[in-house]
Amino acid sequence: DQQVKQNSPSLSVQEGRISILNCDYTNSMFDYFLWYKKYPAEGPTFLISISSIKDKNEDGRFTVFLNKSAKHLSLHIVPSQPGDSAVYFCAASAPNFGNEKLTFGTGTRLTIIP
Amino acid sequence: EPEVTQTPSHQVTQMGQEVILRCVPISNHLYFYWYRQILGQKVEFLVSFYNNEISEKSEIFDDQFSVERPDGSNFTLKIRSTKLEDSAMYFCASSVRGKGLGQDEQFFGPGTRLTVL
């Protein structure tokens, strides 16, 4: 079951530059998307979300873009900081269809190089 | 800042034994979840719970699993007879809104690492 895919298992970015993490989904019922950040031995921490009625949502250094026709979303972090080094998970749900469970991708390990 | 808490942080048990994992969701949240992550794999949904009953469960959540909200604050996951393949990190999560009331982010606890020997 690969309804949510993160095709890059890892990404290294220089401090101060932009980090772009990508996510693809296959289920057309998904209408709510979230990004979580996870450090080892901790639970996922909510970062930012976007509804399917929008194509962009911004919160400080984090911006999520949604391309519904391509079933693709991305998370932009700018500028990248050393504390951003973590595993980032994309997740999706279909709450407007009564389905709040999150379906997660496999994660992308982001390393920020000082 | 309110947070989801889980106890214990690490549980070691023998195969066939019962375990209870405990969670205290954020106090004004209405919707509760359990997820698990087997080492090296993705986070998987187990069950959601709203208004004192199971709202949805996955194929993983078979008869060996049960959930309960025994009082106004705790939310528990019980595994009746543990198997080796139940070894995983178990995460509790909660969200503000109830089923059908719109989109809402889920907040996760730090997890309980379950090791079945």
Side-chain angles (χ1 to χ4, degrees):
Chain A
D1 179 3
Q2 290 271 342
Q3 295 188 68
V4 178
K5 300 179 205 179
Q6 294 176 256
N7 292 318
S8 299
S10 63
L11 175 69
S12 294
V13 174
Q14 206 77 34
E15 181 179 358
R17 299 286 184 102
I18 184 171
S19 296
I20 300 176
L21 297 100
N22 293 302
C23 177
D24 298 293
Y25 62 97
T26 57
N27 189 340
S28 300
M29 304 273 277
F30 288 146
D31 56 6
Y32 187 53
F33 304 90
L34 308 91
W35 283 94
Y36 285 85
K37 173 181 180 181
K38 188 179 180 302
Y39 293 115
E42 293 185 13
T45 300
F46 170 74
L47 276 178
I48 191 168
S49 62
I50 188 166
S51 161
S52 59
I53 62 172
K54 295 185 175 183
D55 55 19
K56 177 182 173 181
N57 189 26
E58 194 171 351
D59 183 2
R61 296 186 299 115
F62 303 93
T63 303
V64 55
F65 295 91
L66 175 63
N67 182 334
K68 278 185 64 178
S69 60
K71 293 191 176 68
H72 176 85
L73 63 154
S74 61
L75 174 68
H76 293 210
I77 307 172
V78 58
S80 301
Q81 299 174 353
D84 295 330
S85 294
V87 178
Y88 288 77
F89 291 96
C90 169
S93 66
N96 288 323
F97 296 95
N99 187 341
E100 283 87 355
K101 74 174 187 186
L102 295 178
T103 300
F104 281 85
T106 49
T108 297
R109 180 177 301 279
L110 176 65
T111 302
I112 305 301
I113 305 163
Chain B
E1 185 173 328
E3 58 183 18
V4 177
T5 60
Q6 290 185 244
T7 54
S9 56
H10 192 185
Q11 174 89 46
V12 181
T13 190
Q14 295 289 326
M15 188 171 58
Q17 294 296 303
E18 174 183 287
V19 294
I20 298 176
L21 310 183
R22 291 183 166 80
C23 168
V24 178
I26 295 173
S27 61
N28 64 331
H29 286 191
L30 300 176
Y31 217 96
F32 314 117
Y33 312 81
W34 284 100
Y35 292 81
R36 79 174 185 189
Q37 185 180 27
I38 294 171
L39 189 64
Q41 298 185 23
K42 62 168 121 180
V43 177
E44 302 173 287
F45 168 79
L46 292 177
V47 65
S48 57
F49 190 85
Y50 172 65
N51 201 25
N52 281 320
E53 60 184 24
I54 289 175
S55 179
E56 186 179 1
K57 59 183 181 180
S58 71
E59 293 173 354
I60 304 166
F61 195 89
D62 61 23
D63 291 344
Q64 293 301 310
F65 290 86
S66 62
V67 288
E68 193 179 25
R69 189 153 163 82
D71 53 42
S73 58
N74 289 284
F75 179 51
T76 62
L77 174 69
K78 181 192 290 187
I79 309 175
R80 257 180 278 283
S81 177
T82 50
K83 303 189 282 280
L84 295 176
E85 54 264 38
D86 292 330
S87 295
M89 279 291 285
Y90 287 80
F91 296 106
C92 173
S94 68
S95 62
V96 172
R97 298 191 189 95
K99 186 180 176 82
L101 296 179
Q103 301 163 342
D104 196 15
E105 58 268 23
Q106 295 175 25
F107 293 88
F108 284 74
T112 292
R113 179 170 297 285
L114 177 64
T115 302
V116 182
L117 303 176

